[in-house]
Amino acid sequence: MLGAAADPGHKMAHAPVQRLKTMKMHRVGIIGLGKITQDQHVPVIGASPSFELVAVASQRGLTVPGVPHAFTDYAELLRLADVDAVAVCTPPQVRHAIALDALEAGKHVLLEKPPTATVSELAHLERIADGRGLTLFATWHSQFNPAVDEAREFLASRTVRTMFVNWKEDVRRWHPGQKWIWRAGGFGVFDPGINALSIVTKILPEPIFVQRADLSFPANADAPIAAEIAFTGRGKDQSLRAEFDWRQTGPQTWEIEIETADGKRLQLSNGGSRLVVDGKLVVESTPEEYERIYERFDELVRTGASDVDAQPFQLVGDAFMLGRRTIVEPFHD
Ligand code: NAP
């Protein structure tokens, strides 16, 4: 469906739209109109002072009211000269090929998380963007919480003694019918788990490394439904662990607990939006992750920079590399 802005017959009606367009700096297209596009990208771009949504590409032929261009083949979107940037919101398996085409068409690229199917693909995109002077932004939405920034600042001058990442949710509730998530390159429980790891790599003052991983694969899936990971850090006598599980019904858990060597106890909960230190609430905010993502994208494009943090993705890759596999009962949606 085409919106009124595409109708050339109403010149008077166009005046405010044209004024708005000149104020917005970047004309963006979205590839893949699934859940996260509809929940976040479309409304957030719509309210952004810096971005204007001018085109969408949907295999299923979905459209967005008021957006002038809609294609089923993303290659047609990339041929539009007035698209400066694209957000690639498909599943990760196909993202490298699409992002590569976009960069080669001269577009700045925003990648949903996890950015690609493999670490090498991400490094390749980074090189191509760099060589062409384009922005590549590998987003990690959970990093864009004020409580995460606060936790990073709090830990910057401290030594971490223990960390427990407890990330357990009901896959049937959050990913109904998503077949790609169970295929190779869909990452299974690491799809939400990598959000936790993106917080961890942002807030910890030192790098951590996967020491051991136990991965539970449903007998009928290529991706795990649960994972337990032990990490090593650079400090002595540290206990650093993560548990991800997609079989949790009832209350959902997205928490990170950290104890420091100077006896402080930090709890990040609600997916990184609430920070409590020693029992005292420090920050709790309503989610504005995608608003902040598009502010950052604007800044990156304006300054000619890229933001590609491969650390969370590398940890997932390492967990797959080192992980011991256990086959568990088949999963049916
Ligand atoms: P989704 O609802 O399954 O949507 C993905 C969309 O990508 C599909 O609906 C399809 O849209 C398009 N697509 C293009 N090529 C495809 C292919 N080969 N197979 C399947 N779909 C293809 O998934 P989603 O939840 O939006 O997640 C997309 C990405 O965003 C994932 O990497 C996920 O981790 C990330 N993310 C999701 C959430 C969330 O809450 N769901 C939150 C943050 C990040 P068209 O038919 O329109 O082309």
Side-chain angles (χ1 to χ4, degrees):
M1 193 177 83
L2 296 180
D7 177 0
H10 295 83
K11 289 202 174 95
M12 292 304 287
H14 266 209
V17 175
Q18 289 302 338
R19 268 205 301 280
L20 195 64
K21 274 184 183 172
T22 53
M23 285 164 55
K24 296 202 177 195
M25 293 170 70
H26 320 292
R27 285 154 305 172
V28 67
I30 299 180
I31 300 174
L33 292 195
K35 184 173 188 309
I36 196 59
T37 296
Q38 294 176 35
D39 288 357
Q40 295 291 338
H41 292 265
V42 169
V44 167
I45 293 171
S48 163
S50 311
F51 290 89
E52 182 186 2
L53 183 58
V54 295
V56 294
S58 165
Q59 292 180 328
R60 290 165 297 169
L62 298 190
T63 60
V64 176
V67 174
H69 303 284
F71 307 101
T72 51
D73 181 355
Y74 75 84
E76 289 185 59
L77 183 154
L78 296 181
R79 280 198 282 275
L80 286 180
D82 68 340
V83 168
D84 311 313
V86 293
V88 187
C89 303
T90 64
Q93 290 99 329
V94 292
R95 226 178 264 137
H96 173 258
I98 295 172
L100 186 57
D101 287 346
L103 291 169
E104 287 179 341
K107 316 297 185 195
H108 304 290
V109 172
L110 178 155
L111 301 171
E112 254 300 345
K113 49 64 52 172
T116 45
T118 66
V119 177
S120 314
E121 286 180 347
L122 181 59
H124 180 236
L125 294 179
E126 194 176 9
R127 283 198 304 277
I128 299 290
D130 189 41
R132 289 176 176 261
L134 292 164
T135 293
L136 180 68
F137 182 19
T139 63
W140 301 107
H141 64 86
S142 299
Q143 291 185 343
F144 288 85
N145 277 292
V148 172
D149 292 330
E150 197 73 33
R152 177 188 171 95
E153 205 169 304
F154 184 81
L155 292 173
S157 56
R158 291 184 160 85
T159 301
V160 171
R161 204 173 61 77
T162 70
M163 176 187 78
F164 178 50
V165 178
N166 194 10
W167 220 257
K168 292 174 185 161
E169 61 176 51
D170 182 353
V171 65
R172 289 187 175 86
R173 182 163 154 196
W174 302 104
H175 301 276
Q178 289 186 342
K179 299 265 184 275
W180 59 265
I181 219 158
W182 293 107
R183 296 195 188 114
F187 300 109
V189 76
F190 284 105
D191 181 82
I194 202 167
N195 298 333
L197 295 176
S198 75
I199 294 174
V200 164
T201 56
K202 183 165 180 185
I203 66 175
L204 292 189
E206 299 277 358
I208 58 170
F209 307 94
V210 176
Q211 181 186 40
R212 200 188 69 243
D214 290 292
L215 312 177
S216 299
F217 282 71
N220 59 345
D222 297 332
I225 196 164
E228 288 184 24
I229 307 174
F231 304 91
T232 52
R234 294 190 55 204
K236 286 200 176 80
D237 302 325
Q238 286 176 309
S239 165
L240 308 169
R241 297 194 305 112
E243 289 183 9
F244 305 141
D245 205 319
W246 252 350
R247 298 167 295 194
Q248 175 148 308
T249 52
Q252 307 287 282
T253 312
W254 299 288
E255 289 176 0
I256 299 171
E257 280 195 17
I258 290 175
E259 283 175 12
T260 61
D262 62 348
K264 302 285 182 194
R265 190 155 178 264
L266 179 151
Q267 292 168 294
L268 262 174
S269 56
N270 295 353
S273 62
R274 187 172 197 269
L275 175 66
V276 170
V277 177
D278 286 344
K280 200 172 141 227
L281 181 65
V282 179
V283 187
E284 182 164 27
S285 58
T286 50
E288 287 193 340
E289 296 172 347
Y290 281 80
E291 287 80 353
R292 295 186 68 201
I293 280 177
Y294 276 94
E295 284 166 18
R296 176 77 176 134
F297 194 31
D298 168 45
E299 181 189 9
L300 290 168
V301 173
R302 278 191 293 103
T303 57
S306 284
D307 184 345
V308 181
D309 172 10
Q311 285 184 83
F313 201 35
Q314 186 72 64
L315 288 176
V316 170
D318 292 348
F320 275 102
M321 220 175 319
L322 282 179
R324 286 191 307 207
R325 295 175 181 227
T326 304
I327 304 299
V328 297
E329 63 182 41
F331 176 83
H332 299 288
D333 234 345

